[in-house]
Amino acid sequence: MAERDSGKIKRIAGQDVTDVGTVDDVKSSSEGGLLGLAVDPGYPGKPYIYAYYSGGDDNRIARITYQDGKLSDQQVILEGIPAAAIHNGGRLRFGPDGFLYAGTGDGSDRPNSQDDDSLGGKILRITTEGKAAPGNPDGRVWITKGHRNVQGLAFDGNQLYAAEFGQNTWDELNAITPGSNYGWPAAEGISQLDGMTDPIAQWHTADASPSGIAFAKGYVFMASLRGQRLWAIPVAGGKRVGEPQAFFTSQYGRLRTVELAPDASLWVTTSNTDGRGGTRDGDDRILRVTISTS
């Protein structure tokens, strides 16, 4: 588990919480800090974790050795991702192809999203050395552009889904196809613009403000901050196949991240102590949620 403002990484085993170290050079802000975390799929043979963090002038991805319960040997593998007080993206996810995917934000500078030379407003696909993964369109580090602020990434097999903060009107869930343009800043939500790919689902910002997502049992589960609920969106083959359902509305406050646990339950984190929510007894917390398809 990563803490955005402190830069700390903690290991949770049952109800035991242990500090394993702090990511160096993390600079927190309104929406910046230690933002993403992923474990090497070759662990423990490859004893690395990967962190996406704000470093002051830019956002970066680092590879950090994790052995004997401690962090060491932090190495920046990719830098130069636009950073600002807001719109930093930050989600990391290893794909079934073994490559590392990262969602970035426009760094509060809208033209970045359409600028092929900028890493802002993109979904990146890189090797564990920080290079463009084989097969990326035009050999670039990124595979899609036209994003405002990607907050969630999840795979169903080879199909990638991404959750994205909208501006004032529509938040989005997108089915990702490499080489596609998702429209920002010309498009927000379903716009049917030539050359732009529309989302497969959209929500008013008061009902979502989506953050982390996870795929399980035919659904993308989407944690919502301003919306204070967990959305379950039925999907198949990159399409939405039913109406989204909302759970826990206003029950636990702002929900930041959802992850599929090894026992097929969901881990859901709250985000009420970030200065934008009402703090509740016990905040912030990690919830364990079981999934029923009946």
Side-chain angles (χ1 to χ4, degrees), residues 270-282:
T270 70
S271 190
N272 295 317
T273 61
D274 62 355
R276 297 186 177 185
T279 304
R280 301 157 189 244
D281 288 344

Side-chain angles (χ1 to χ4, degrees), residues 4 29-31 151 165 171 205-212 222-230 247-258 268-280 283-287:
R4 188 189 73 184
S29 63
S30 177
E31 294 179 4
Q151 289 286 301
F165 270 118
D171 294 322
T205 54
D207 297 329
S209 295
S211 191
M222 185 176 79
S224 296
L225 292 163
R226 186 180 173 196
Q228 298 190 22
R229 66 200 75 181
L230 182 68
F247 297 90
F248 310 123
T249 302
S250 300
Q251 189 171 347
Y252 298 106
R254 293 161 56 83
L255 302 182
R256 172 71 64 179
T257 299
V258 55
V268 183
T269 68
T270 70
S271 190
N272 295 317
T273 61
D274 62 355
R276 297 186 177 185
T279 304
R280 301 157 189 244
D283 281 339
D284 273 319
R285 67 185 79 191
I286 299 175
L287 311 174

Side-chain angles (χ1 to χ4, degrees), residues 61 78 81 100 102 116 119 122-127 130-133 136-144:
I61 300 173
L78 185 68
I81 303 168
L100 182 60
D116 288 353
L119 298 182
K122 309 293 194 299
I123 293 178
L124 316 181
R125 178 176 177 263
I126 61 174
T127 69
K131 306 300 183 182
N136 284 8
D138 299 318
R140 295 190 174 99
V141 170
W142 53 266
I143 58 170
T144 59

